[in-house]
Amino acid sequence: MTFVHHAFPNNAPIAAQDQHLVEQTLHQAEVFKGHFLHAFRDQVRLPNGDIATREYVIHPGAVMVIALLDDGRLVMERQYRYPMQQVMIEFPAGKLDPGEDRLACAQRELLEETGYRATEWAHAGVLHPVISYSTEFIDIWFARGLRLGERQLDQGEFLDVFSASVDELLAWSRDGQLTDAKTLTGLLWLQNHLSGAWPLRWQPAP
């Protein structure tokens, strides 16, 4: 089946000075549609006029939460990631439901996975973890004023929740124990926030 003019999520206008880099879509073919991922194989015209193939995955988007405990430690998770065949160290995160507000998703994921609610939230930014083959974006949120309750894990979801200091996370990153891309980006935000270089605008939880 062939599709034309497929709508990509989070499309931003291309600046005039970048037009010479743009690839033009000629045809789009659906390769796979699952419960979570949607894969396509497109034919594109390159800036020099040549024709090429692009294979990529449409992703619904996700959120990540950098949750600050009162003692300065961070709420972390250890979760088995099947494609990697490894238990990974990560900040709490999860995908957006259709039409879901991003802050509401961040609040939901933090509560479901860790049991924490936060009294204050701040939006940091967005990251694109796999730009070569996926439309995935991850919205980065900070949370503080944490209060612990009961976790509400999804069916079939298994993970450990623990706390770690910034120094521990940096050491694990240096030593290759922490390799998750979104968590490494979160650490960049965290370091710059703590130094005062990247201020945040905190708001009460709705």
Side-chain angles (χ1 to χ4, degrees):
M1 184 180 296
T2 300
F3 299 80
V4 180
H5 302 308
H6 174 77
F8 290 90
N10 285 328
N11 263 6
I14 302 295
Q17 66 267 27
D18 291 334
Q19 288 295 331
H20 66 289
L21 301 173
V22 175
E23 300 174 357
Q24 300 294 332
T25 306
L26 301 177
H27 299 285
Q28 295 175 323
E30 183 181 59
V31 176
F32 169 80
K33 186 172 185 178
H35 176 70
F36 178 38
L37 299 177
H38 199 180
F40 285 82
R41 182 182 295 117
D42 289 6
Q43 187 181 65
V44 302
R45 178 176 288 112
L46 302 177
N48 66 357
D50 290 348
I51 305 300
T53 298
R54 297 287 182 255
E55 296 178 344
Y56 59 96
V57 173
I58 298 293
H59 187 285
V63 299
M64 177 180 68
V65 182
I66 302 170
L68 306 168
L69 293 164
D70 292 342
D71 63 2
R73 295 174 70 83
L74 290 306
V75 178
M76 304 299 299
E77 298 177 354
R78 297 178 72 251
Q79 185 172 187
Y80 182 76
R81 293 297 191 175
Y82 183 81
M84 301 302 300
Q85 300 282 294
Q86 290 184 37
V87 173
M88 309 294 285
I89 299 171
E90 308 174 46
F91 284 123
K95 71 177 182 66
L96 286 158
D97 288 337
E100 186 175 24
D101 176 80
R102 296 183 187 186
L103 174 55
C105 180
Q107 293 174 311
R108 175 179 60 76
E109 289 291 345
L110 183 64
L111 176 62
E112 288 179 356
E113 294 188 351
T114 73
Y116 281 103
R117 299 178 188 270
T119 59
E120 290 185 282
W121 290 82
H123 182 250
V126 65
L127 69 101
H128 296 92
V130 282
I131 57 175
S132 59
Y133 63 86
S134 176
T135 64
E136 181 179 4
F137 67 89
I138 301 177
D139 228 34
I140 306 169
W141 289 87
F142 279 70
R144 68 185 183 187
L146 303 182
R147 299 295 179 266
L148 182 60
E150 292 292 326
R151 292 198 295 174
Q152 303 171 16
L153 292 174
D154 292 336
Q155 181 70 27
E157 189 174 30
F158 304 92
L159 54 88
D160 289 339
V161 178
F162 68 102
S163 67
S165 69
V166 176
D167 287 343
E168 286 174 322
L169 296 177
L170 291 173
W172 296 338
S173 301
R174 178 197 63 210
D175 297 340
Q177 298 178 63
L178 193 168
T179 61
D180 172 56
K182 68 180 182 297
T183 302
L184 293 172
T185 302
L187 274 175
L188 173 68
W189 264 97
L190 180 61
Q191 283 185 292
N192 281 281
H193 167 59
L194 294 177
S195 73
W198 294 2
L200 295 170
R201 297 180 60 183
W202 293 94
Q203 60 182 339

